[in-house]
Amino acid sequence: MDDEIDSSEVFAEFLKIKNVDVLGLGRNGMEGVELYKKYKPDVVFLDLVMPNYDGFYALEEIKKINPDARVIIITAYYTDLMKKKLDSFGIEDIFQKPYSVTAIANSLNQKVKA
C-alpha cells in the first residue's frame, strides 16, 4: 500500500519480475485492509504515511485479522517514534525510500527459504 501511484506501480512491476504475484494496490490504509480481507496475501508491503487512513491503521487492522500476517514496511519517513510504535507488531523488515531493490529481493528470498 502506498499513496504514491507511480511509486507503487513501479514497485509492483519489480515484484512481478521477481515472480511475486501482486494481488492489489491500496492507496491508503483502509483500501489496504479491504484488499487484505479479500485476498489474504502471503506478505503485505506497507507505507506508513498515507492520507486519510495511514499505514499504522492498516497494520493494526491487518494484525487483528491475522496476528501472524507478514508485513514489510517501505517508507520515506521513519522516526524513533514510528520505530517504537512498530516494535509491538512483529514487522519482518523495514526499508526506507529510496530503497534498494536488491535488499528487498534478498529479504523475500530469505523469508521464502526459512
Side-chain angles (χ1 to χ4, degrees):
M1 288 160 250
D2 192 326
D3 61 316
E4 296 177 25
I5 296 168
D6 291 341
S7 177
S8 60
E9 288 175 355
V10 168
F11 186 69
E13 288 303 315
F14 159 73
L15 291 174
K16 290 176 187 174
I17 290 169
K18 295 297 182 184
N19 296 315
V20 175
D21 293 327
V22 176
L23 304 175
L25 298 173
R27 303 291 179 224
N28 62 52
M30 184 174 286
E31 285 182 21
V33 172
E34 293 306 312
L35 287 167
Y36 187 84
K37 287 178 186 176
K38 181 176 180 179
Y39 294 111
K40 304 281 194 291
D42 294 333
V43 64
V44 173
F45 293 94
L46 179 63
D47 190 2
L48 295 176
V49 181
M50 295 181 283
N52 302 323
Y53 294 88
D54 66 10
F56 287 104
Y57 169 85
L59 181 59
E60 202 169 315
E61 294 303 309
I62 288 169
K63 289 292 190 170
K64 284 178 188 174
I65 296 165
N66 178 5
D68 297 323
R70 293 180 60 202
V71 179
I72 296 175
I73 302 295
I74 300 178
T75 190
Y77 306 101
Y78 187 59
T79 65
D80 288 339
L81 180 59
M82 290 175 165
K83 181 185 181 325
K84 191 177 275 191
K85 284 177 76 172
L86 289 174
D87 282 346
S88 65
F89 285 105
I91 301 301
E92 291 200 17
D93 278 312
I94 299 168
F95 296 96
Q96 286 188 263
K97 296 176 185 176
Y99 52 81
S100 162
V101 292
T102 302
I104 292 172
N106 289 341
S107 177
L108 285 173
N109 289 336
Q110 288 173 358
K111 303 305 180 206
V112 170
K113 292 176 186 173

